[in-house]
Amino acid sequence: MARSSGNVHVLLAMLVPLCAATAWTAAAAAAAAGPLLPLPDLQTTTRTMNENDTTTGSLSADFHALSCPDLHGIVRSAVQAARGQDVQVTAGLLRIFFHDCFPQGCDASLLVDKTDPGSEQNVEPQNKGLNQRALQLIESIRDTVHKRCGERSVSCADILAVATSHAVNLAGGPFINMQLGHFDSVGPAQPWQVQTLPAPNADVTTLLNTFAANGKGFDNPIEVVALSGAHTVGKARCSSFSDRTIRPNPNDNFAKELAQFCGGDGNRQRNLDEITPDSFDNSYFLDLIRRKGVLTSDQGLANDGRTGWIVNVFANDQGNFFEKFAQAMEKMSRLTSPGGVKARRNCLKRDAGVNLQTTVVAAGSGDDEGLAASA
């Protein structure tokens, strides 16, 4: 997520406060009663920032157009080469992007490697089995970009966002218009922040409440279903769905199949998409309708009235899924961290001598140095 990205419960869970339940129940009833209609566009406009809000208005898709005009070409070429060696790089980047952005904003804090005692990569089960090839790829791209465009010209967080977009596109999915201009954190997020990532066995209510409670602006049930569609690529360790395999429901034939597949080995890996596991398409939703969702949190989306009708729409209309997925991912790319440096010198390491508590950043254009000033 070759080496797999492991428990890709990355973008599974997404978003939605239950205050909109009445409106969406009505929409679900309408969808069940008649033809499946295109879903409305998601709201991606930037909101006013408050103390509990991690969105910002300082980002733009063309942030590096002048400072690093070759950015997209460099990144796409590198991702394409990496996929030639390990097709699971796409799933790996998707998981890393989500697990980086959700705890404290898109700031490349997750990339600080396991040798750092505070590394987010050491927090389990949330970050167990991250795709090491994908992590190394980001640092390799940073090295090329900084040699071509100047040291600290593009943040590791922005490189991760651009690489994820191209990885999805190269796998057959939409191009995501990621918002750029992020600063890099000078250190990892706190364990309690990482632990806010939703578990692979979470029910739909928990998923919706988790995303609604963190002030990130994901308040539409279409987003939870669209983002879960990232599981159309990648694999999950058997330990991620052991709740279904240890004592499989005798009425759940697929759970019994999963139990037989795992054979008690929690590290064995199963494709999350049974039909086309290496392609980014809508077959994941067809699996859910067939009751072949591997993770409890995935199958729950098809079984719950608040989200099941959206699963049906995406299963019948790949273009609609692509559009909503790209919108939701672009929205996630707007999540920012409150402090950091313009770009770390090494994506996998902290910058020496920089303290998180004394680092302040001010968002500027993609062309000025904008390096953080220490208090």
Side-chain angles (χ1 to χ4, degrees):
M1 172 206 82
R3 171 150 183 142
S4 162
S5 63
N7 312 335
V8 203
H9 49 273
V10 237
L11 289 67
L12 354 174
M14 307 288 25
L15 348 338
V16 118
L18 301 181
C19 61
T22 301
W24 291 110
T25 299
L36 294 173
L37 301 175
L39 296 171
D41 284 346
L42 299 177
Q43 176 59 259
T44 59
T45 55
T46 303
R47 298 177 299 127
T48 301
M49 197 169 180
N50 59 54
E51 62 180 1
N52 297 314
D53 193 353
T54 53
T55 63
T56 181
S58 63
L59 309 176
S60 68
D62 60 353
F63 192 88
H64 300 288
L66 297 179
S67 59
C68 191
D70 295 333
L71 177 62
H72 281 276
I74 294 170
V75 173
R76 188 175 183 87
S77 178
V79 172
Q80 189 166 27
R83 275 180 48 82
Q85 297 179 3
D86 177 10
V87 72
Q88 288 298 314
V89 159
T90 296
L93 288 169
L94 277 164
R95 184 183 183 203
I96 292 166
F97 176 75
F98 173 60
H99 281 219
D100 178 57
C101 292
F102 188 81
Q104 64 174 8
C106 305
D107 61 2
S109 61
L110 176 59
L111 273 61
V112 175
D113 67 29
K114 287 187 173 184
T115 62
D116 189 298
S119 174
E120 295 173 43
Q121 296 178 35
N122 294 321
V123 179
E124 296 187 1
Q126 285 81 4
N127 289 327
K128 182 178 181 179
L130 293 174
N131 188 308
Q132 294 300 307
R133 189 187 296 272
L135 289 165
Q136 292 292 335
L137 175 62
I138 299 305
E139 168 55 17
S140 175
I141 295 173
R142 179 214 57 79
D143 184 60
T144 302
V145 168
H146 286 193
K147 286 177 179 177
R148 187 85 57 87
C149 300
E151 186 178 5
R152 294 186 184 268
S153 54
V154 182
S155 68
C156 300
D158 281 355
I159 290 171
L160 173 58
V162 174
T164 302
S165 178
H166 284 289
V168 169
N169 189 238
L170 287 165
F175 181 81
I176 303 161
N177 200 33
M178 296 289 197
Q179 298 298 292
L180 308 177
H182 295 278
F183 286 81
D184 287 336
S185 171
V186 297
Q190 296 299 308
W192 69 265
Q193 293 174 299
V194 179
Q195 289 162 1
T196 62
L197 285 160
N201 62 351
D203 59 30
V204 173
T205 295
T206 300
L207 297 181
L208 302 186
N209 286 344
T210 297
F211 281 83
N214 286 282
K216 293 179 171 62
F218 291 102
D219 53 4
N220 191 316
I222 296 172
E223 292 165 324
V224 65
V225 183
L227 287 168
S228 74
H231 289 170
T232 192
V233 290
K235 302 174 184 287
R237 282 184 168 79
C238 287
S239 58
S240 295
F241 49 91
S242 60
D243 57 311
R244 302 185 66 189
T245 60
I246 293 178
R247 294 183 182 84
N249 185 332
N251 298 318
D252 188 342
N253 291 331
F254 187 60
K256 290 187 284 187
E257 179 185 327
L258 291 175
Q260 184 176 10
F261 170 84
C262 293
D265 182 357
N267 286 319
R268 198 161 184 209
Q269 297 175 354
R270 177 89 177 196
N271 289 331
L272 289 169
D273 179 336
E274 297 276 307
I275 306 171
T276 54
D278 296 334
S279 299
F280 197 97
D281 53 28
N282 69 335
S283 61
Y284 156 85
F285 296 105
L286 297 174
D287 280 339
L288 298 189
I289 290 174
R290 295 163 57 225
R291 303 189 65 80
K292 286 182 174 290
V294 175
L295 300 176
T296 299
S297 54
D298 284 346
Q299 189 58 53
L301 295 173
N303 300 343
D304 191 291
R306 291 167 292 181
T307 51
W309 66 278
I310 308 170
V311 169
N312 289 333
V313 172
F314 289 157
N316 283 276
D317 187 346
Q318 179 170 280
N320 208 327
F321 162 53
F322 280 9
E323 179 183 90
K324 300 309 181 292
F325 179 79
Q327 289 176 350
M329 287 288 285
E330 184 271 342
K331 186 173 183 178
M332 182 167 289
S333 74
R334 294 174 180 268
L335 300 180
T336 65
S337 184
V341 293
K342 182 178 181 183
R344 294 201 298 268
R345 289 190 174 92
N346 184 321
C347 290
L348 308 182
K349 304 289 183 183
R350 298 182 193 232
D351 275 354
V354 181
N355 183 279
L356 180 62
Q357 281 70 39
T358 61
T359 304
V360 180
V361 296
S365 75
D367 301 306
D368 51 37
E369 281 304 305
L371 295 180
S374 296

